[in-house]
Every structure is written in structure tokens, then in C-alpha cells.
Amino acid sequence: MLKYIIEGGWMMWPLMVCSIIGVAVVIDRFYAFRSHKNIDTRALRAQVLDLLGEHRIAEAARLCAATPGAVSAVLLAGLQSYAKHRPINDRPESVAAIMEKSMDDYALHAMSAVEKRLPVLATIGNISPLLGMTGTVLGMITAFDGMMNAGVSNEAVAGGIKVALITTAAGLIIAVMAVVPYSYFTTQADAVELEIEEASAELLDFVATEVEGAKKKPVVA
């Protein structure tokens, strides 16, 4: 491997930097999404609704605060908004609208954390082939330069073409290593976003139909 890096010329160094950064991002996002999968968001949502049905809003908020992940963070934003505005607003639709706005706003921050560093992978996937093509052009220039200076030399031509092929191959390999994980992580991020939307809609529907429809009880702090 070191032999090819050296023989590929100086364009191999930015390609190697791209590969190192790409591997680091893949490892980081792999552990992040694996941690999210270990969180039982369905059980969390059920517990939050049970506590909310008993008007134990503070306990539901503490449960969300103690649970890592984007879904729990968005639910916490909704619960905090509900606890703040419910005592001063008797209109369920107004409270639900305020909660929805709070959760939608916080969902943007939550998804920003979920999609963290994914643009880096996309950038590496785009520029690696370009760097490889640049190395190809430089290798061909070297080959033709050798032909001009020393006549038709098999060694000079072969050396330039070898540099061109090495950088091209390296750029394509690195691009594949970035694009495939990027597509996978994007799919995972979309799944998280869908979970957030489902949890938010479920909470809003519960507040509108169950909590506000029942006889009001004191909020348990």
C-alpha cells in the first residue's frame, strides 16, 4: 500500500487525507446510529403518554430528559411547552399549536445533531474522483513530458501512465468508501426523522383528545 502511495505522486496525499477523514466520520456515525437503535423509543412514547394521562407532566419530562436521543429531546420540548402554557391557556387547540411549534423548532436542532458530519462524507465522495482525475492528468503530462525530453521511452510513458492509473483507482475507491456509508446513514437519519414526526403527532393527538378532553386535574410537580 505504501508503495502505491509513493508511486502515485503527490496527489495521493490529499486522497489519503480524504480517506482518513472519511473513515473517522464513518466510525463516528456508525456508533451514533447504533446507540440510537439501542433506545426503545416506542416504550418511551408509551410511558410518556401514560404519565401525561395521569397529569404527571413533570415526571414525563424527567423521563425524556434522562433518555438520550433526538426523539426524547423533541418530546421534552413539547412537554415543557405544555407545562408552561396549559395553566394559562384554556383552549386545547392553542396549547397544541404552541406545542407543535416548539417541537418543530427543536426537531431542526435534533436532526442537525443526527446528520452531523454527513456532509463531510458527501464532500469526500464528490471530490475524491476529481482528485483522482487530476492525478490522471498530471500523470499523462509526465508521460508526454518524458517522451518530449527523451524521445519515445517505454519507461517514461509507463511511469506516467502508472501514476495516472494509481490516482484514478485511489480516487474511485475512496469515493465508494464515502458514498455507500453516506447513503446508509442518510437512510438511518430519515428513519429518525420519521420517528420524531410520529412521536410528535402522537403526543399532540393525545393532548388534544385525552388530556384536554378529560376533567382537569392539578399538575403534579
Side-chain angles (χ1 to χ4, degrees), residues 48-190:
V48 167
L49 296 184
D50 287 342
L51 291 171
L52 196 59
E54 299 172 2
H55 294 271
R56 297 158 64 185
I57 303 171
E59 289 186 34
R62 283 195 291 269
L63 175 62
C64 290
T67 305
V71 175
S72 59
V74 174
L75 288 178
L76 176 60
L79 290 172
Q80 289 175 334
S81 178
Y82 178 73
K84 179 179 179 181
H85 293 94
R86 177 174 173 268
I88 60 176
N89 195 329
D90 293 331
R91 299 178 60 188
E93 63 275 9
S94 297
V95 175
I98 295 171
M99 288 177 63
E100 183 175 11
K101 180 66 167 58
S102 298
M103 288 190 288
D104 286 345
D105 290 343
Y106 199 84
L108 296 176
H109 297 285
M111 286 307 301
S112 177
V114 170
E115 297 171 344
K116 187 178 181 182
R117 301 188 183 91
L118 291 188
V120 175
L121 278 183
T123 301
I124 291 174
N126 288 328
I127 68 172
S128 294
L130 298 178
L131 292 174
M133 291 176 62
T134 303
T136 299
V137 173
L138 294 176
M140 298 306 294
I141 291 174
T142 301
F144 285 113
D145 188 54
M147 291 173 61
M148 290 178 60
N149 294 334
V152 179
S153 170
N154 290 336
E155 184 178 350
V157 175
I161 295 176
K162 185 176 183 179
V163 170
L165 294 177
I166 289 175
T167 54
T168 301
L172 292 175
I173 291 172
I174 294 170
V176 170
M177 291 172 56
V179 170
V180 173
Y182 174 79
S183 298
Y184 172 75
F185 292 143
T186 300
T187 301
Q188 297 299 307
D190 290 341

